[in-house]
Amino acid sequence: DRSPSRGLGDVYKRQPAYCAALSLSHAAERLFRRRAPVGAERPQQPGPTGARTAALASLLAALPPNPRGRATLAAPFAARFAAQRHTAALNVLRLHMAGVPIVVGTGAGAPLQVHGAAIFDEMEALQQAGLRPLEVLRAASVNGHAALGLGETRGTLGAGMRADLVVLRDDPSDDIGNMRSIMLVLKDGCVAWARPGSRLEGVRLGGAPVTPG
């Protein structure tokens, strides 16, 4: 929640990458306010992700109201959350402009950070911080795999690379929020998921049938 000290960018340049996990503060505020988890308003997501977010939303709705969150968040807590988000986003942009590789990470497993769903919120937070959509895509693919030492086989499309990819309905280079418009998921060149009711339902690739839902 503080600005980086002078020279921190040079320190991070010697590291594989910087992971901000901006969506963690978003999730903390949602929990404090008793609001639905990220993605609950978009239940049609690959695999069990949509079901998990919907289940968390129902559980959250069953919790008793948080008097502190409802009564006091409007003043000191609201200001604190806003200030932390602003500073964290500004730090990401500063490090990015200094040439530090940014990677996408969510802290999934923390309260209201659902595995799978939280990645969309994190990418959107990076775009809001000032990264261009294609820069966010690079952070979520090329940079992340390179930081994990997997850049030779994952993170890009090309000969000899692992065929793990998603097919989208909308162009994420226009708005990173379009990453939510997933139509088809491929894993090792085989269909792992297709949006129910889409024209891709029933397609076979690499000998694997589509599994709707």
Side-chain angles (χ1 to χ4, degrees):
D1 58 352
R2 298 181 181 180
S3 300
S5 59
R6 181 173 299 181
L8 185 61
D10 292 333
V11 172
Y12 271 109
K13 286 180 183 179
R14 298 194 291 271
Q15 306 301 319
Y18 175 73
C19 178
L22 299 176
S23 56
L24 274 173
S25 64
H26 297 189
E29 183 175 357
R30 284 173 178 264
L31 181 63
F32 197 87
R33 289 177 179 267
R34 297 291 198 262
R35 287 183 176 175
V38 171
E41 69 281 7
R42 302 176 179 88
Q44 282 197 328
Q45 298 183 62
T49 297
R52 287 199 297 265
T53 53
L56 274 175
S58 299
L59 177 63
L60 196 64
L63 292 175
N66 184 347
R68 292 183 62 204
R70 303 266 175 134
T72 65
L73 193 61
F77 285 100
R80 178 180 176 184
F81 278 124
Q84 288 178 338
R85 286 198 303 269
H86 174 76
T87 302
L90 188 59
N91 290 344
V92 170
L93 187 59
R94 285 169 172 162
L95 292 172
H96 171 65
M97 294 179 67
V100 177
I102 305 299
V103 300
V104 174
T106 65
L112 300 193
Q113 287 291 81
V114 180
H115 288 278
I119 195 72
F120 302 117
D121 190 56
E122 182 65 24
M123 288 190 288
E124 290 165 6
L126 287 171
Q127 179 177 270
Q128 293 168 8
L131 273 67
R132 298 183 180 91
L134 287 178
E135 292 172 335
V136 178
L137 282 175
R138 185 176 183 84
S141 54
V142 178
N143 292 357
H145 288 95
L148 293 172
L150 302 173
E152 293 184 359
T153 58
R154 295 176 173 86
T156 60
L157 297 177
M161 304 296 286
R162 292 282 291 273
D164 298 340
L165 54 94
V166 295
V167 177
L168 306 176
R169 183 190 63 228
D170 304 319
D171 188 354
S173 67
D174 293 333
D175 184 344
I176 203 64
N178 289 337
M179 283 298 300
R180 295 182 184 269
S181 65
I182 296 174
M183 302 299 292
L184 188 72
V185 178
L186 302 181
K187 176 68 175 175
D188 289 330
C190 298
V191 175
W193 181 88
R195 182 173 291 275
S198 72
R199 289 182 297 175
L200 296 171
E201 193 171 1
V203 169
R204 288 175 177 266
L205 185 65
V210 166
T211 304

